[in-house]
Amino acid sequence: MLILFLLDFICISMSYWLITHRLFLVNAALYTPRFLALGYGVMLLTSFAGRTMLQVNRQMWRYAQASAYLRMVLSGFIAGGLYLLVDRLFFSVHLSFAVAVAVYSTGTLANLSARFLYQALRRKPMFLHSLINKPAVSAGNKLNVAIV
């Protein structure tokens, strides 16, 4: 379960940094590093609160079915709503609705992709091993071809 927690953390962090870093570059006076760090912490907390409320990691660990992935999308929606509520009530500078939706959507999409990949590799554990250790092609199986 630690692997899934790390995937969540990495995907959310990556999406938040990619989108808010551009905001910082465009308007550094408004979006200070302190504000962005505080927003990042609140986004992490709301994301994990939404996933904990719907028990996403508990269902996703062994047998991920379509309902588990739909719960993950729903938890992202709940987390985004919680973030917007906290942002509007307690912050003096606000991330726009579009930026918050972009951050949560990108994070959820990256997380779903990572979990699909995790489930695929978990079902075929020798897949990566076969890619890394390709068997050598013997000379007997080669066919000489001439292109004129």
Side-chain angles (χ1 to χ4, degrees):
M1 226 155 119
L2 181 63
I3 293 171
L4 297 179
F5 177 76
L6 288 174
L7 278 176
D8 286 349
F9 180 77
I10 290 169
C11 290
I12 293 167
S13 299
M14 179 183 64
S15 68
Y16 184 78
W17 183 83
L18 285 173
I19 293 172
T20 57
H21 181 67
R22 185 178 183 291
L23 287 176
F24 177 72
L25 292 177
V26 170
N27 194 351
L30 183 62
Y31 298 110
T32 63
R34 181 176 177 265
F35 167 74
L36 293 177
L38 183 62
Y40 170 69
V42 171
M43 280 195 175
L44 273 179
L45 286 174
T46 56
S47 293
F48 287 115
R51 290 185 180 156
T52 302
M53 283 189 320
L54 294 179
Q55 299 177 349
V56 170
N57 286 339
R58 187 175 186 197
Q59 292 182 350
M60 197 67 77
W61 176 241
R62 294 287 284 191
Y63 307 106
Q65 297 174 348
S67 64
Y69 292 112
L70 289 175
R71 277 183 187 252
M72 178 181 254
V73 172
L74 184 60
S75 75
F77 179 75
I78 290 171
L82 284 174
Y83 174 78
L84 286 173
L85 184 69
V86 169
D87 180 59
R88 298 305 186 250
L89 290 177
F90 299 110
F91 292 167
S92 59
V93 177
H94 307 294
L95 282 182
S96 68
F97 179 78
V99 170
V101 168
V103 168
Y104 277 101
S105 299
T106 307
T108 301
L109 182 64
N111 211 316
L112 285 171
S113 301
R115 290 197 185 199
F116 282 139
L117 183 64
Y118 170 78
Q119 289 296 327
L121 292 178
R122 193 171 170 278
R123 288 187 189 118
K124 296 179 182 181
M126 296 305 289
F127 178 73
L128 286 178
H129 183 28
S130 66
L131 286 178
I132 294 170
N133 301 323
K134 291 184 180 179
V137 178
S138 64
N141 293 338
K142 289 185 178 179
L143 180 66
N144 293 331
V145 176
I147 299 174
V148 181

